[in-house]
Amino acid sequence: MNAVTYSNLPWTREEFEAKLREKGRGYHIYHPFHVMMYEGKLSKEQLQCWVANRFYYQIGIPQKDAAIMSNCPDKEIRKGWIQRIIDHDGDDKNVGGIEAWIQLGNAVGLSRKDVTSLKLVSPGVRFAVDAYINFARQRPWQESVCSSLTELFAPHIHQQRISSWPSVYPWIKEEGLVYFKKRLTEARRDVEQGLAVTLDYFSQSREMQEKALDILQFKLDVLWVIADSIMLACTDIKIENNVQYLRQPR
């Protein structure tokens, strides 16, 4: 077997998963805006700007998941995936993630109308979120599932906020952390399902595996553009000298 042929062999399941997880180097937790957030360097107005803009992403998540379900003929996948919509929209017994995000808005000093009117959402955030929803509507459901795997890296950023905010932003009401606490467990559960689908479907060939990495990169780019747009919307933000505005290598 020559070297060229060997290089085209699919990675093992374990190698493929490791490649997917390596993509976390480009997660938006490393964006200068999020670095400043973690370090407690954002003003109240800047945090309000972030919360108001990210709400547009929050309301887009169940639309994305509904699009995945509409393209998926597998009943068992749909039965599991529908929980994601309930997690965000809520039901008669549970407050969903969208409502929890509105609570976060209240905790940072925004009214329900400030958040839900979408009047504070920047054009860049709208464009990026809409592009992600359209991707889920138009592409095969397995590709859309793969794009959701940024959840591999989400628990870290949620825990970071839970741990740091009470000390660096003590003025934020405690109920504002409900969303992040909810997602700690929900995201880990979601990852199990999304990762299983991705490893099964894309492991047919090296070409398919590399396509999966490109899809995950697309979603990472969406999140990065959202952070870019929010940072630009907060026009008085000054980037500290020790924060390099460089993306991690792909």
Side-chain angles (χ1 to χ4, degrees), residues 191-203:
V191 162
E192 290 183 10
Q193 183 185 28
L195 188 58
V197 169
T198 299
L199 293 177
D200 288 343
Y201 179 74
F202 288 93
S203 291

Side-chain angles (χ1 to χ4, degrees), residues 218-231:
F218 159 74
K219 175 60 182 309
L220 289 166
D221 289 344
V222 167
L223 295 176
W224 198 271
V225 169
I226 289 173
D228 274 348
S229 299
I230 294 174
M231 187 173 71

Side-chain angles (χ1 to χ4, degrees), residues 143-167:
E143 294 187 13
S144 301
V145 167
C146 178
S147 73
S148 75
L149 284 182
T150 49
E151 291 172 324
L152 281 166
F153 324 117
H156 185 193
I157 202 170
H158 295 322
Q159 185 60 61
Q160 198 179 67
R161 291 163 187 159
I162 293 168
S163 301
S164 66
W165 280 23
S167 58

Side-chain angles (χ1 to χ4, degrees), residues 127-191:
F127 185 86
V129 173
D130 291 349
Y132 180 41
I133 295 173
N134 286 332
F135 178 90
R137 287 172 175 160
Q138 297 169 7
R139 303 303 290 265
W141 67 272
Q142 297 95 334
E143 294 187 13
S144 301
V145 167
C146 178
S147 73
S148 75
L149 284 182
T150 49
E151 291 172 324
L152 281 166
F153 324 117
H156 185 193
I157 202 170
H158 295 322
Q159 185 60 61
Q160 198 179 67
R161 291 163 187 159
I162 293 168
S163 301
S164 66
W165 280 23
S167 58
V168 297
Y169 304 113
W171 53 269
I172 298 179
K173 300 175 184 177
E174 186 177 355
E175 54 265 31
L177 301 178
V178 169
Y179 176 84
F180 307 126
K181 293 176 180 178
K182 275 172 53 65
R183 290 306 297 163
L184 274 180
T185 54
E186 292 172 354
R188 290 190 176 98
R189 180 208 63 212
D190 292 347
V191 162

Side-chain angles (χ1 to χ4, degrees), residues 24-118:
R25 293 180 299 171
Y27 192 50
H28 63 171
I29 194 172
Y30 301 110
H31 191 284
F33 189 87
H34 287 288
V35 172
M36 293 176 69
M37 182 187 296
Y38 171 69
E39 294 177 347
K41 295 179 179 178
L42 298 185
S43 67
K44 180 177 181 178
E45 292 74 20
Q46 289 164 348
L47 270 176
Q48 289 176 335
C49 177
W50 175 73
V51 171
N53 274 275
R54 278 281 300 201
F55 182 70
Y56 193 70
Y57 177 74
Q58 301 308 131
I59 62 176
I61 292 173
Q63 296 179 59
K64 173 266 299 182
D65 287 323
I68 291 175
M69 291 180 59
S70 72
N71 291 329
C72 178
D74 190 317
K75 180 181 70 173
E76 294 305 314
I77 296 293
R78 294 198 306 269
K79 284 167 63 177
W81 208 267
I82 196 171
Q83 184 60 46
R84 296 171 182 244
I85 297 177
I86 297 172
D87 287 343
H88 284 84
D89 285 345
D91 56 24
D92 293 339
K93 297 180 180 179
N94 301 295
V95 172
I98 291 175
E99 185 62 31
W101 198 269
I102 295 171
Q103 291 178 11
L104 172 60
N106 293 336
V108 300
L110 296 172
S111 69
R112 175 177 289 268
K113 186 175 181 180
D114 288 335
V115 178
T116 60
S117 68
L118 307 180

Side-chain angles (χ1 to χ4, degrees), residues 196-212:
V197 169
T198 299
L199 293 177
D200 288 343
Y201 179 74
F202 288 93
S203 291
Q204 304 169 46
S205 67
R206 174 71 71 87
E207 182 181 11
M208 290 285 286
Q209 291 172 329
E210 290 175 344
K211 182 176 184 179

